C-alpha cells in the first residue's frame, strides 16, 4: 500500500466559555492554568510530526476563540512553522468571544477562513441550547471578520431542536442568507447521554419532522445558489478544502485532546483526558488499519461527497481495481439506481444519497 503524506492538520482546542446543553465533545470550561498546560503540551506534540507541509490547517474545538489574545498568539506561534504552505487556514469562532483584536491577530497569522458558530437566529433556541451569544453578536461578528479581511466564512446551523417548528427552521435559513456568507453546515441535534439534554431526558423530535427540515433546507439552499457538495455541507463557490481531505481519505494529523489522525495506515486516537494530555501522554489508542479497513473507509468517506470518489485514486492508493474489489456492492447499487459510475467517479444518485447507510452495508459485506 502506498504511504501518503498528510495534507491536513487539525488542532483541537478543548476550551469553552460556557458548556452547551447538547454537547458531548472533548471540552472543559476555560481556565488559565489548564490553557497554559495545554499549550505547553501541544508545542511538544506537534514536534512528533516534523517537516510536513500541510495544505490546510483547521483549529476546532471546543472554542478556539475562547482563548484570549495572548493565548491565541502562543497557539499561532506553535503552528507557525507548519503554516507556510497552507492554502486554507480555518478557525472555529463563536460570536461571543470574537473581538477586533482577535480577528486581526488571526489574519496576521494566516487564518483565511472562519467557521462561525451561529447555530440559530431564534434567541429562545439559543437560550434553550445554553449558547452564550445573541443575534446582535452574530451580525457584529460577521462585520468584525470582514473588516479584518476574512471573507471566507462558513456558519453552522442546528436543526431538529425539541419544540422547533418548520416555520422557525425556515426563519433560521432565511436569516442565514442575510449574512451573505458562502458556506453553510447543517447539524441535526442529537441527544447525547452525557450532555445536559441527555441527563434531562429531553425527547428528540419526530424523525419525520427532522427529515422534513433537512429536505426543506436542501430545497431552500439550492434555490438560493448553495450547492450541496456533501451530505450536510452547502456552498456557493468555496467548499471546505480541509474537510475534502477527510472525504478524499487523505492522511491527516490531529493534535490536541480527543483529536484523531490517519497516518501511515494507522488511526491514532489521542487521549480525551486533558490531564494525561498535559503530561504528554498524547495517544490513547493506536489502531493498525488493514487494507480491507482502508478500502472500506475510502468508500465510506468518498460517497459522502456529491461528486463521489475517484476510481483512479482508489487504484493509486491500493493498487487494486474498485470495480473488482467491490464488484457485488457496485453492481447491486447500480441496478437499484442508487449508484452511478460516471467520468471516472463512483457516486450516489439523488435517490442513493438518502440511502447511504444501506449502500455502505453492501460494501461491508
Ligand atoms: S457545542 Fe461547541 S461551544 Fe458548545 S460546549 Fe460544545 S464545543 Fe463548546
Amino acid at each position: 500500500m502506498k504511504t501518503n503524506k498528510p495534507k491536513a492538520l487539525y488542532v483541537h482546542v478543548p476550551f469553552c466559555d460556557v458548556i452547551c446543553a447538547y454537547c458531548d465533545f472533548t471540552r472543559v470550561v476555560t481556565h488559565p492554568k489548564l490553557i497554559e498546560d495545554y499549550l505547553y503540551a501541544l508545542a511538544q506534540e506537534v514536534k512528533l510530526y516534523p517537516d510536513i507541509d500541510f495544505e490546510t490547517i483547521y483549529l476546532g474545538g471546543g472554542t478556539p476563540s475562547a482563548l484570549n489574545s495572548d493565548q491565541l498568539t502562543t497557539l499561532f506561534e506553535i503552528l507557525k512553522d507548519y503554516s507556510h504552505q497552507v492554502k486554507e487556514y480555518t478557525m472555529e469562532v463563536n460570536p461571543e468571544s470574537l473581538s477586533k483584536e482577535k480577528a486581526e491577530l488571526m489574519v496576521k497569522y494566516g487564518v483565511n477562513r472562519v467557521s462561525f458558530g451561529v447555530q440559530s437566529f431564534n434567541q429562545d433556541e439559543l437560550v434553550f441550547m445554553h449558547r452564550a451569544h445573541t443575534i446582535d453578536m452574530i451580525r457584529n461578528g460577521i462585520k468584525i471578520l470582514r473588516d479584518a479581511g476574512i471573507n471566507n466564512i462558513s456558519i453552522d446551523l442546528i436543526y431538529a431542536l425539541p419544540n422547533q417548528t418548520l416555520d422557525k427552521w425556515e426563519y433560521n435559513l432565511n436569516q442565514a442568507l442575510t449574512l451573505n456568507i458562502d458556506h453553510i453546515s447543517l447539524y441535526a441535534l442529537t441527544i447525547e447521554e452525557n450532555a445536559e439534554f441527555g441527563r434531562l431526558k429531553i425527547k428528540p423530535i419526530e424523525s419525520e419532522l427532522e427529515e422534513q427540515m433537512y429536505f426543506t433546507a436542501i430545497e431552500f439552499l439550492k434555490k438560493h445558489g448553495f450547492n450541496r457538495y456533501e451530505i450536510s455541507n452547502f456552498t456557493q463557490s468555496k467548499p471546505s478544502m480541509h474537510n475534502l481531505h477527510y472525504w478524499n481519505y487523505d492522511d491527516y494529523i490531529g493534535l490536541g485532546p480527543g483529536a484523531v489522525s490517519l497516518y501511515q495506515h494507522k488511526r491514532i486516537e489521542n487521549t480525551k483526558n486533558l490531564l494525561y494530555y498535559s503530561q504528554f501522554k498524547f495517544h490513547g489508542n493506536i489502531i493498525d488499519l488493514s487494507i480491507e479497513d482502508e478500502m472500506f473507509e475510502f468508500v465510506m468517506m468518498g460517497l459522502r461527497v456529491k461528486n463521489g470518489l475517484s476510481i483512479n485514486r482508489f487504484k493509486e492508493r491500493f493498487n487494486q481495481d474498485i470495480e473488482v474489489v467491490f464488484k457485488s456492492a457496485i453492481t447491486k447499487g447500480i441496478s437499484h439506481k442508487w449508484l452511478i459510475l460516471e467520468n471516472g467517479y463512483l457516486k450516489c444518485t439523488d435517490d442513493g444519497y438518502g440511502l447511504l447507510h444501506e449502500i455502505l452495508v453492501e460494501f461491508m459485506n
Side-chain angles (χ1 to χ4, degrees), residues 263-277:
Y263 186 52
Q264 297 183 345
H265 311 294
K266 290 180 174 37
R267 171 165 297 103
I268 304 171
E269 296 173 351
N270 275 11
T271 177
K272 293 184 174 179
N273 185 315
L274 191 53
L275 189 64
Y276 288 176
Y277 184 81

Side-chain angles (χ1 to χ4, degrees), residues 15-20 22-27 61-63 94 96 119 131:
F15 301 100
C16 297
D17 291 321
V18 176
I19 303 300
C20 304
Y22 56 90
C23 176
D24 81 337
F25 299 144
T26 304
R27 80 289 179 270
T63 312
N94 276 356
E96 71 279 4
Q119 316 308 348
R131 297 293 306 196

Side-chain angles (χ1 to χ4, degrees), residues 304-327:
R304 294 181 63 96
V305 181
K306 198 80 176 82
N307 289 342
L309 58 87
S310 158
I311 306 287
N312 278 344
R313 283 194 61 253
F314 186 94
K315 176 105 188 170
E316 272 170 31
R317 181 162 181 137
F318 302 110
N319 204 19
Q320 297 193 49
D321 195 336
I322 193 170
E323 290 170 78
V324 175
V325 177
F326 293 115
K327 186 169 189 286

